[in-house]
Amino acid sequence: MAVEELQSIIKRCQILEEQDFKEEDFGLFQLAGQRCIEEGHIDQLLEIIQNEKNKVIIKNMGWNLIGPVVRCLLCKDKEDAKRKVCFLIFDLLVKLCNPKELLLGLLELIEEPSGKQISQSILLLLQPLQTVIQKLHNKAYSIGLALSTLWNQLSLLPVPYSKEQIQMDDYGLCQCCKALIEFTKPFVEEVIDNKENSLENEKLKDELLKFCFKSLKCPLLTAQFLEQSEEGGNDPFRYFASEIIGFLSAIGYPFPKMIFNHGRKKRTWNYLEFEEEEDKQLADSMASLAYLVFVQGIRIDQLPMVLSPLYLLQFNMGHIEVFLQRTEESVISKGLELLENSLLRIEDSSLLYQYLEIKSFLTVPQGLVKVMTLCPIETLRKKSLAMLQLYINKLDSQGKYTLFRCLLNTSNHSGVEAFIIQNIKNQIDMSLKRTHNNKWFTGPQLVSLLDLVLFLPEGAETDLLQNSDRIMASLNLLRYLVIKDNENDNQTGLWTELGNIENNFLKPLHIGLNMSKAHYEAEIKNSQEAQKSKDLCSITVGGEEIPNMPPEMQLKVLHSALFTFDLIESVLARVEELIEIKTKSTSEENIGIK
């Protein structure tokens, strides 16, 4: 029945000129053709399409059959023989139909699927799509539309993370990346071969450039790369990245020229004016490119060998900042790898303090602090801590001093402040051991820094439990200073500042400890009474109320807090004892001299 209907429509249209075809004819042709496929009359449909007499009709109306034919090919239930005929029909339609209509039809079919069907659809349609575009005159617009559609669909696919996921490629992203390179190659070659630099060629270049930038962001920004010892040349993302970077060079945008001019007010390479949203995308893409080149070593042989390590660090810091602003594990990890790669190239204490006047040289360590304190993944927190220490080691003395002040003022985290205070102690120790004192960690400069360390933020009312790490580090630093620096030498300036330290730190700490211990002892008493009555009650620990905790658990928490206060108190007592011994000894020495 469907075959007869289709033949009837064709018979009527054979006597008409192309311009006389009606919209109604297109609709009837599509419905009848679709029914032929659904009812299994595929062989008859093939004969109709192959008939030379129907060439004009197929050219104008055949594209309407692309959807039903493609759906038939994607349907795994179809018999192999029927699928083979469907492939023949598909190839004929691509060959005979109006390429403009075909282009839109194919792109609609690429946009339709979701989930795992996205890659199946793309892998089936890429080759026909390439053939259709090559027939069109306005190639730049067509390739731009096609690449944008393809990228939008691919960006919906999850990026495989582990070696096993990459090898399994459940969603087909790895296969699609490889196929996409083959799809794009002829258009890149066309740009290379066109020596005239016509307007159309420039537009094609722009579209390819856009695609390369988008690909650097997705999937390459989040993609993981196999160890080069493991991959054996089979890492799909490494291949994709290498080809994309190669495309950039081929169309006139060699990556050394691009990445070293990105971010400058006056750029020496000319690319499309990106909208505000695309400018953020460009930052992600350029960061991804820097990682691919410097960490993965992809096409690194194209870089000039004369670039100094400090120049490369300065260049990469902006990209590292971009990585650390993201929340994805793989992206943060790349930022840390790029930072480590850049820092290991330079010697300790060689990074001059003036570099901290560049915004990224302060925002990167602050970004590391955020990862250390907020990231839920332990390996990244530990790596960030190691990278912050490595960064500190590379700064000169004034740079270290400046960074310590900055982080003490901005971190708002007791553990981070304790880490910085330990670093300050290490720098003072190194300075005191040298024949020539380091002015940044002795005398007036150190006194100014100690003002940020040896004090309680809210005086006696400071939450000692929440700030225990910082307080213990401060007391240990003070104990060290009292032991190492004699009052007569006073290299650190401690002894002239001792009165202020006692008023701003030691006395308020005594009062705070007494208040805190009294509070927690009262909480223990309440908890013990609640245990007798089997009631659940809430307690306040570290300024936060913990509701409905079983009494035995409450007691553990409260005793742990008291243990912390006892620890602080014992170190405080030792510090005060040492101060008394030192001042008494100095007084006796002075009397003896007289």
Side-chain angles (χ1 to χ4, degrees), residues 114-116 118 153-161 165 169-174 218-219 222-223 237:
S114 59
K116 293 183 179 181
I118 290 174
Q153 282 296 90
L154 287 179
S155 65
L156 300 175
L157 296 177
V159 179
Y161 185 75
Q165 287 176 350
D169 195 22
D170 274 351
Y171 284 82
L173 178 61
C174 299
C218 179
T222 54
F237 291 124

Side-chain angles (χ1 to χ4, degrees), residues 8 20 68 74 139 180 188 197 225-226 331 457 489 549:
S8 172
D20 295 329
L74 290 171
K139 208 166 284 181
L180 198 51
V188 173
N197 286 328
F225 295 86
L226 301 177
V331 181
D489 296 334
M549 185 183 282

